[in-house]
Amino acid sequence: MAEFKNQWRGYNKQEVDLKIEDFNRTITNQQQQIEQLQSEIQSLQQTNTELTKQITIQEKTNEEIARLALKEASDLIEKAKRNANMILKESMEYVRGLSKDVDSIKQEALDFRANVVKLSEEMIETIDKSEIFSLIKEEQENKYDEGESS
């Protein structure tokens, strides 16, 4: 609180006027500060509102990106499964075909062997029935008979 000197008929008018002017300047400065701070508060509130909106938009965008990424990943997995199943099916069909080919080759080998055996038997039979072999056989029998008689 300000103290004023007493004078005849009250306080010193000049001191009081100076003090009032000082108070007025202080009030004016504080009002300007209040207005400036209110303006700053308003600006900060607007900035806060904008940042909140941006964060909300970013969160929604991130959620949408994550959802789309999961969907795409799921689609890729399904496509990979379908491709894997198709490849597996084709491989199984190929293996079955190879198995049939192997079975066919085995049968051909057995048939070939049977034909070779048949041809060999026919050749032996032909040789056995040939004149030369009959003569050779007859000659051997004569030698055998001579060997027994001696």
Side-chain angles (χ1 to χ4, degrees):
M1 174 137 198
E3 294 200 22
F4 302 106
K5 293 181 187 174
N6 282 336
Q7 282 188 345
W8 188 70
R9 290 183 166 197
Y11 296 109
N12 183 340
K13 189 178 179 184
Q14 209 174 11
E15 280 181 15
V16 171
D17 286 343
L18 284 173
K19 197 60 173 174
I20 289 174
E21 280 181 35
D22 188 37
F23 282 143
N24 282 339
R25 275 193 300 272
T26 302
I27 288 172
T28 302
N29 284 341
Q30 288 180 345
Q31 283 176 341
Q32 286 175 347
Q33 263 186 324
I34 288 171
E35 287 174 9
Q36 184 182 2
L37 290 173
Q38 284 176 339
S39 174
E40 252 183 79
I41 288 173
Q42 191 176 18
S43 174
L44 288 172
Q45 285 175 337
Q46 287 175 348
T47 303
N48 185 33
T49 301
E50 289 174 16
L51 289 174
T52 303
K53 286 178 184 177
Q54 285 179 357
I55 288 172
T56 303
I57 290 170
Q58 285 179 340
E59 286 174 349
K60 287 181 180 180
T61 302
N62 289 342
E63 288 173 5
E64 183 66 13
I65 288 170
R67 186 187 67 76
L68 290 173
L70 285 174
K71 183 181 182 311
E72 187 172 340
S74 178
D75 291 346
L76 286 173
I77 289 170
E78 281 302 312
K79 185 177 179 180
K81 283 180 182 178
R82 283 192 306 270
N83 286 344
N85 285 336
M86 187 171 50
I87 290 169
L88 183 61
K89 183 179 176 183
E90 289 172 359
S91 296
M92 292 299 291
E93 288 173 8
Y94 181 72
V95 167
R96 283 188 196 109
L98 288 177
S99 179
K100 286 179 184 177
D101 290 347
V102 167
D103 289 344
S104 174
I105 290 171
K106 284 179 184 178
Q107 188 58 48
E108 286 176 12
L110 290 173
D111 291 346
F112 178 75
R113 184 185 182 283
N115 284 337
V116 168
V117 168
K118 183 179 174 187
L119 285 174
S120 296
E121 288 173 351
E122 288 175 358
M123 287 177 82
I124 289 174
E125 188 179 323
T126 303
I127 292 171
D128 285 347
K129 290 181 181 178
S130 71
E131 257 183 66
I132 293 176
F133 195 70
S134 295
L135 291 173
I136 293 172
K137 201 174 184 184
E138 201 176 290
E139 186 179 300
Q140 284 179 344
E141 284 176 1
N142 287 337
K143 281 185 184 178
Y144 180 72
D145 288 339
E146 286 178 10
E148 275 184 15
S149 48
S150 3

